[in-house]
Each structure stands twice: as C-alpha cells, then as structure tokens.
Amino acid sequence: MIKTVRMNIEYDGTRFHGWQVQPNQRTVQGVIEDALAQLLRREVRIHCAGRTDAGVHARGQVASFVTESDFPINSLSRALNGNLPNDIAVHDVFEVPEKFHARYSALSRMYRYTLSERRRALGRNYVWHIKYHLDRHMLMKATEPLIGECNLRGFSKGDDNDDYSTVIVKNEWTFEDDLMIFTIQGIRFFHHAVRSIVGSAVEVARGKEPPGLLEMILAERNRDLAGPTAPAKGLCLERVFYDRDTRVGQA
Amino acid sequence: MIKTVRMNIEYDGTRFHGWQVQPNQRTVQGVIEDALAQLLRREVRIHCAGRTDAGVHARGQVASFVTESDFPINSLSRALNGNLPNDIAVHDVFEVPEKFHARYSALSRMYRYTLSERRRALGRNYVWHIKYHLDRHMLMKATEPLIGECNLRGFSKGDDNDDYSTVIVKNEWTFEDDLMIFTIQGIRFFHHAVRSIVGSAVEVARGKEPPGLLEMILAERNRDLAGPTAPAKGLCLERVFYDRDTRVGQA
C-alpha cells in the first residue's frame, strides 16, 4: 500500500552544502534519502517545506515522501536516527493523508536570525558576530514595515519575472544579554530574503543607512539598495505551520 | 612594572584536551599561553580558577597571570581574540591587585550540567543525550542532600589521603522542554565530582538505584557506589565568584 509520510527534522547546517541534493556534495536531502533508501530498500525522494542554503540550520524543517515500503512507520524515527550522522536529528515520523506535501501544504514558515555583539566560543556556529555597535531600537524600527502583504523582490536573489509577493504574519526582535534575535513568520520566503532583510536592518542600526531603508527597498523592489546578505550561520528555520498535524487513523 | 592581569574566558571544550598544558596536545592553557607570548613577547604562565577536563566547556572561566610586559592591558582582549582560534573567546582582561590569583582568590565556582531526552543536532556538543526516560522529580530528590558542608570523596577521582571537603552553596534543577539542567555552586569541586554526581542522579531517576543513593555515597565516601561518570560534553564551568572585581585604579 502506498503511504505518505511526514518527518520533522533538526539539523546543524555547518557541514552541509544546504538542503538540496547536488552531485558530490554533502547535503541534508542526500544524507536523509540515503539513510531512508537503506531502511526502506528502495529509492525515496523527499520534499521539504523550505530549502535551506549551505550553513543555514533548521530546528523544525518538515519533509514528506511517498513510499510503498511496508517498513513500520512508527519504528522509522528510531531506525533513521540510528543511521544518520549526529548533525541531523529526526524527531517525529508519521503517516499523513495522501494529499499532504511538506512544501505545498505548508501555511507559513518561521525563521529566526541570531546576532551577537560579543565574540562567542559556545554556539559560535549559530550566531553572526557583529563587530560594531547596533542600536537595538533602530533594528526594530528598520524592520517595522515588514508586516502584512509584502513584495520581497528587493530582498531576494532570483529572476525578475518571478512572483515575490508574500504575507508576513509576524516580525519581532527579542534581546537576551548580548544576543539580538529576529523572528519572522510569513506564508513564503525567497532565496536569501531573510538574510538580506537582516543585513539591511544592520546597516540601519549601525548608522550607515537611514531608518527608512527597508521601506524603500520594499517600495522600489530594487535589490541594489539592500545591505549585504547576512551570513548563513545566524539563520535557522524554526518551524513550519500546517492546517493541523493530521495523522492517518487519528481523530 | 610588574602587573597582575585577570581574564574571563569562554571556550568550547570539544576539540581541546582539557585546560592544562600537556605535551603534544591542544589544550586551552597552551593555546592561550602561546597567543599571549606572541603579544607580550615573553613567556607567560597562566593560572585558572577551575581546571576542566577534555570536552568540558566554560562560559566563565577565569585566569590570571603576572607579567612585566608594557603591552597596554586595555587593548589585550581585542588583540588576543584576534590571535585565538574561534573556539576560545576572551571577554574581559583587566589589571587586578598583585595578590589576586584566579584559583586561590576564588570564593566559589558554579557549574552547569545539561541533559536531554531528545536527540539534538543543534548544540549537540553541549548536552548529554539520555536514551531512557528520567523521572524529573527523582532527579531533584536524588541531589537534595548535596547542600552545605559535604565531603565529596565518594564522587571524586583521586588520592584517598586528600581532603574532599567543600561547602555547596546552591544546587538546582531547571527544566526547559526536553532539557534538564543541573546547576551546582560550591566553594570547591574535585576531579570528576560534578559528572559523578550527575551520573549517580541519573541512575536514581531512571529507576536503577534507590532515591537515597547520593546520600549514601556522601556518608560512605565510597566511589564504588557512584553511578557512571556523566560524559564531559554536558558540563560547563559557568561562573567563578570573587570577593569583588577589584580593578587596579578603580574605586
């Protein structure tokens, strides 16, 4: 019988060339597909909710796949973790209705970007160490326009003919000692968008650009106005939201 | 003029063979002494508040040294960080009164041990992943006797003729989702003591040993009764307490 299976995945992106399979590169998708193929004894193609670049992390990536294997799904999480390297952890694996697709069924994605004004040894692969002083009030001010319907063309790498419209549901800065954490949740994001938003906000907060920079980039849809793309290591895909976590056979 | 200098140091112990200099091994002390020797143009011997084993981390290690160099101390932190690998961060370097010694002047040390019941990819080098269920109430119950005057002979690696008496000032478990964090502060600790306390508490919390195990180890001073020593990677020297952070020339 054909089953559709969903997995929640955490990974440390440091030693991966991103999510997507590429020849001769260590990728998250490649490593998981290899581990699955061994267990299910057939090739599997997995689809994720949000492809991440090299160095970007995920605490709550979601992937789905379709298989005819009769491997018991409730043993798959444990078996997979036994076969995966220690920079990937599969947290939950369960059967979902046939129409579920990690990417197309996702309602929104939440990313988090972490900056630190202090050099850090512990957790140094998860933060962008900023070497100049940032005005925290300006960080908040700079990103204020990023809410509701937005066109992210000016923050995204890609083809001008594509559609860059999205809806941003939440956008928030939190501060804990030397850490500055930007959380943004939207129905979809585009290549480099979150890192470009953060990079632009940093230019404002260090006083190199006016407070209205991000508003202008949104309006002009011109990437030449955006600040440098923030480094990959500060970014983490925190969570993906779906209508509900429907499991086959559950109420 | 001879100066006594204090440094606050953070390090990720994963790729170090502990604090103490050893021939042909990468140690925290060795790496810092080499970087200091380059800057100060003479050999320096540094002393730390609490030597850590291979794989153990520090967020708030303190070290001191004496030097005749006229290198400006207020530039030393920046210069050192520029010369140190990214798994060490020096946070604060300042001149202290001549009588200050990182080890002998310390009033107490605070360690933190972190366990997780969940496999983790992010931050996996900073937690002990426990593969069985732990009763959180039992963890708290097990470590209750470790407060006030204690003799840690039964938890410590070393010579029976040495003195293992200490005073434990604080001992606390905190729980955050899948994380179980043990914080213990005392005037001094001994080789493997915190890891042996945690390893013993885990035996109680998984139901392999009676709730009174740690009390018995304290009373009997017999290390054969203690549980397996918990892995190094979960342990972090969080902070060292001194009478006050006296700086030379400050009120």
Side-chain angles (χ1 to χ4, degrees):
Chain A
M1 219 185 76
I2 296 180
K3 287 174 209 152
T4 303
V5 179
R6 167 179 166 176
M7 306 191 284
N8 297 341
I9 308 164
E10 175 188 354
Y11 50 86
D12 180 326
T14 312
R15 294 186 298 124
F16 288 106
H17 285 265
W19 170 270
Q20 196 165 20
V21 165
Q22 291 173 62
N24 308 317
Q25 300 282 21
R26 184 175 188 262
T27 66
V28 182
Q29 183 187 359
V31 167
I32 296 177
E33 285 183 351
D34 288 350
L36 272 174
Q38 283 219 333
L39 294 169
L40 307 182
R41 303 218 191 141
R42 65 201 76 200
E43 283 205 7
V44 184
R45 172 64 19 145
I46 63 176
H47 300 276
C48 75
R51 288 192 297 261
T52 51
D53 278 332
V56 174
H57 315 288
R59 198 182 312 275
Q61 175 69 281
V62 175
S64 62
F65 63 91
V66 170
T67 184
E68 288 191 317
S69 161
D70 53 6
F71 193 100
I73 300 303
N74 54 12
S75 310
L76 195 53
S77 164
R78 194 191 183 96
L80 259 179
N81 280 325
N83 277 14
L84 285 168
N86 66 4
D87 47 359
I88 304 185
V90 167
H91 286 310
D92 207 4
V93 181
F94 52 95
E95 196 178 342
V96 283
E98 193 191 324
K99 65 177 194 297
F100 182 91
H101 186 285
R103 181 169 176 194
Y104 302 120
S105 306
L107 297 179
S108 69
R109 285 102 175 143
M110 190 173 88
Y111 286 89
R112 196 159 279 171
Y113 197 98
T114 307
L115 306 101
S116 170
E117 276 173 345
R118 218 164 123 102
R119 176 183 167 112
R120 293 183 152 246
L122 293 162
R124 66 193 174 280
N125 292 328
Y126 314 130
V127 297
W128 178 20
H129 173 212
I130 291 273
K131 292 183 183 160
Y132 20 82
H133 174 70
L134 297 185
D135 180 325
R136 295 176 176 205
H137 178 72
M138 279 297 170
L139 282 176
M140 295 191 285
K141 185 104 186 144
T143 53
E144 246 171 27
L146 285 157
I147 196 76
E149 285 184 33
C150 293
N151 185 300
L152 298 184
R153 179 68 201 99
F155 296 104
S156 308
K157 194 174 153 183
D159 188 332
D160 266 340
N161 296 318
D162 289 345
D163 175 20
Y164 294 90
S165 61
T166 187
V167 176
I168 296 174
V169 179
K170 179 182 168 177
N171 136 22
E172 178 181 83
W173 283 94
T174 47
F175 304 103
E176 295 172 30
D177 301 323
D178 58 311
L179 293 180
M180 293 161 281
I181 303 162
F182 180 60
T183 304
I184 189 165
Q185 181 185 344
I187 62 166
R188 57 182 190 145
F189 289 97
F190 310 97
H191 198 197
H192 281 187
V194 180
R195 291 163 57 190
S196 178
I197 290 167
V198 170
S200 303
V202 162
E203 294 300 289
V204 173
R206 65 184 287 211
K208 296 267 272 184
E209 294 285 352
L213 176 70
L214 283 82
E215 194 163 13
M216 196 165 68
I217 300 168
L218 279 173
E220 308 251 333
R221 303 185 183 179
N222 178 359
R223 194 148 189 254
D224 296 339
L225 302 173
T229 306
K233 66 180 181 175
L235 185 61
C236 184
L237 172 54
E238 284 290 325
R239 198 170 155 188
V240 185
F241 295 83
Y242 295 91
D243 201 17
R244 35 179 191 141
D245 290 355
T246 326
R247 295 176 191 227
V248 165
Q250 284 201 336
Chain B
M1 220 187 77
I2 297 179
K3 287 173 209 152
T4 303
V5 179
R6 168 179 164 175
M7 305 191 285
N8 296 339
I9 307 164
E10 175 188 354
Y11 49 86
D12 180 326
T14 311
R15 296 187 296 125
F16 288 104
H17 285 265
W19 169 270
Q20 196 166 19
V21 165
Q22 290 174 61
N24 308 316
Q25 299 283 19
R26 184 176 187 262
T27 66
V28 182
Q29 183 188 358
V31 167
I32 297 178
E33 285 183 351
D34 288 349
L36 272 175
Q38 283 219 334
L39 293 169
L40 306 182
R41 303 217 190 142
R42 66 201 75 201
E43 283 203 8
V44 184
R45 173 61 23 138
I46 62 176
H47 301 277
C48 74
R51 289 193 297 259
T52 52
D53 277 332
V56 174
H57 314 290
R59 198 181 312 276
Q61 176 68 281
V62 175
S64 60
F65 62 91
V66 170
T67 184
E68 288 191 317
S69 163
D70 55 5
F71 193 100
I73 299 305
N74 55 12
S75 310
L76 195 54
S77 164
R78 198 194 180 95
L80 258 179
N81 280 324
N83 277 14
L84 285 168
N86 65 4
D87 47 0
I88 304 186
V90 167
H91 285 312
D92 208 2
V93 181
F94 52 93
E95 197 178 340
V96 283
E98 194 193 325
K99 65 178 193 295
F100 182 90
H101 186 287
R103 183 168 176 197
Y104 302 119
S105 306
L107 297 180
S108 70
R109 285 99 176 142
M110 189 173 90
Y111 286 89
R112 196 159 279 171
Y113 197 99
T114 307
L115 306 102
S116 170
E117 273 172 348
R118 219 165 123 101
R119 177 184 166 111
R120 295 183 150 243
L122 293 162
R124 65 193 174 282
N125 292 329
Y126 313 130
V127 297
W128 177 21
H129 174 212
I130 291 274
K131 292 183 182 160
Y132 22 80
H133 175 69
L134 297 186
D135 180 326
R136 294 175 177 206
H137 178 72
M138 277 299 172
L139 281 177
M140 294 190 285
K141 185 106 186 139
T143 53
E144 246 172 28
L146 284 156
I147 197 76
E149 285 184 33
C150 292
N151 185 301
L152 298 182
R153 179 67 201 102
F155 296 105
S156 308
K157 195 174 154 184
D159 187 334
D160 266 339
N161 296 317
D162 289 346
D163 174 22
Y164 294 90
S165 61
T166 187
V167 177
I168 297 174
V169 178
K170 180 183 168 176
N171 136 21
E172 180 183 80
W173 282 94
T174 49
F175 303 103
E176 296 173 27
D177 302 323
D178 57 312
L179 293 180
M180 294 160 281
I181 303 162
F182 181 60
T183 304
I184 188 165
Q185 181 185 343
I187 61 166
R188 57 183 191 146
F189 289 97
F190 310 97
H191 200 200
H192 281 187
V194 179
R195 292 163 56 191
S196 179
I197 290 168
V198 170
S200 302
V202 162
E203 293 300 288
V204 173
R206 66 185 288 212
K208 296 268 270 186
E209 295 285 351
L213 176 69
L214 282 84
E215 194 163 13
M216 196 165 65
I217 300 168
L218 278 173
E220 308 253 330
R221 304 186 183 179
N222 179 358
R223 195 149 189 250
D224 296 340
L225 302 173
T229 304
K233 65 181 182 175
L235 185 61
C236 185
L237 172 54
E238 284 290 324
R239 199 172 155 188
V240 185
F241 295 83
Y242 295 91
D243 200 18
R244 39 180 187 144
D245 289 354
T246 326
R247 296 181 191 223
V248 165
Q250 283 201 340

